[in-house]
Amino acid sequence: MNEPSAQARWEQRTQRPLLALAVGFAVAYAVPIVDTTAGHSLTAVCTGVEWVVWAAFAVDYLMRLAMSRDRRRFVRTHWMDLCAVVLPILQPLRLLRMVSTLILVGRRARMASQIQLTTYVAGAVIGLLMFGSLAVLSVERDSPHGNIRTLGDAVWWSFTTMTTVGYGDHAPTTGLGRMIAVGLMLSGIALLGVVTANIATWFIARFEKDDVEERRQTEAIEALTAEVRALRAEVAALSGAPVVGVSGAGAAALSGAEAAALSGAEQ
């Protein structure tokens, strides 16, 4: 049995702590937006928590890079992780911290073999719906011409946008809000494609399983038929009668053997 690499052991040990930090990030990001009466000190604490969580994911990326056996290949195959780590440094916006953390959480969650696809998709939908609502509310609530003023309006808008329904009763009016809308649309289409592909794969696998079972039964029947023919030939040779016409006790015994063989094949 092959010993897991240091990188694999690191990813296994840090999976749950990083997910817990991501939940802390979600709370810190939501509090100043939902609680409009939050003071400067509470907002500063929440901002500090966001930076700490982002820093933890950045350290995780650097540690995996250092433990990788082929660092160039790791950078090429994890370029999205690198972008998520670098973006908040270049432009320290809360929205970029949110996007980068979502990307890093998603990439690390995909590495966990115990997380099934259905659970991952459900978590992605809930996360995108929540963060999309909070993000659009934070940028549209103070817009002079905005019509997304409450959290309920933001959640409704996010849901209709992710499902690509777009009733039009609520719509972003700022450039940043429209960028968020584009991201939710693309994410909704991608998740819908994943769900559709997963369902199609399940049906195909089910049909293939039925076909394999049917072929196995057919092969068993053919094998038993060949054995019965060989047995008839042997009985005919021993009794001195033609192969096609076995009589007497031998025929009765042969008929019983044929019936038992065919009954076993049907079962």
Side-chain angles (χ1 to χ4, degrees), residues 32-261:
I33 298 175
V34 176
D35 187 6
T36 56
T37 61
H40 178 73
S41 58
L42 180 59
T43 303
V45 170
C46 292
T47 302
V49 171
E50 294 174 12
W51 279 111
V52 167
V53 173
W54 169 83
F57 277 96
V59 170
D60 172 68
Y61 175 83
L62 295 175
M63 290 296 296
R64 288 188 289 131
L65 176 61
M67 296 177 183
S68 178
R69 296 175 181 176
D70 189 350
R71 296 180 182 178
R72 291 184 179 179
R73 183 176 180 276
F74 181 87
V75 173
R76 289 196 307 267
T77 56
H78 295 77
W79 61 270
M80 189 176 293
D81 301 42
L82 179 61
C83 292
V85 169
V86 173
L87 276 178
I89 297 177
L90 300 179
Q91 183 65 42
L93 292 176
R94 296 183 71 237
L95 185 59
L96 284 180
R97 288 200 300 274
M98 180 205 52
V99 172
S100 64
T101 304
L102 280 176
I103 292 174
L104 292 171
V105 170
R107 299 285 292 181
R108 290 293 272 110
R110 288 179 186 176
M111 295 176 186
S113 58
Q114 69 270 19
I115 297 180
Q116 300 297 324
L117 179 61
T118 304
T119 305
Y120 179 79
V121 171
V125 169
I126 295 173
L128 287 172
L129 183 65
M130 180 184 66
F131 282 109
S133 303
L134 294 173
V136 77
L137 180 62
S138 65
V139 300
E140 291 290 327
R141 181 165 48 195
D142 298 329
S143 175
H145 305 289
N147 54 17
I148 303 176
R149 304 290 185 182
T150 65
L151 182 60
D153 293 340
V155 172
W156 170 251
W157 172 84
S158 296
F159 191 82
T160 56
T161 301
M162 285 187 62
T163 55
T164 66
V165 175
Y167 286 109
D169 51 351
H170 296 287
T173 58
T174 63
L176 193 55
R178 289 169 180 170
M179 290 178 62
I180 296 172
V182 171
L184 281 179
M185 292 176 193
L186 296 177
S187 301
I189 294 173
L191 289 173
L192 181 61
V194 170
V195 173
T196 304
N198 192 29
I199 294 175
T201 302
W202 183 85
F203 276 110
I204 292 173
R206 182 67 180 179
F207 292 149
E208 288 180 350
K209 182 179 180 181
D210 294 340
D211 292 341
V212 169
E213 182 65 21
E214 184 177 353
R215 287 195 299 269
R216 188 187 66 81
Q217 292 179 357
T218 302
E219 292 174 356
I221 292 174
E222 292 177 352
L224 289 174
T225 303
E227 291 179 3
V228 169
R229 289 174 179 171
L231 181 60
R232 292 183 63 180
E234 292 179 2
V235 172
L238 291 174
S239 62
V243 176
V244 293
V246 180
S247 60
L254 181 57
S255 299
E258 290 180 355

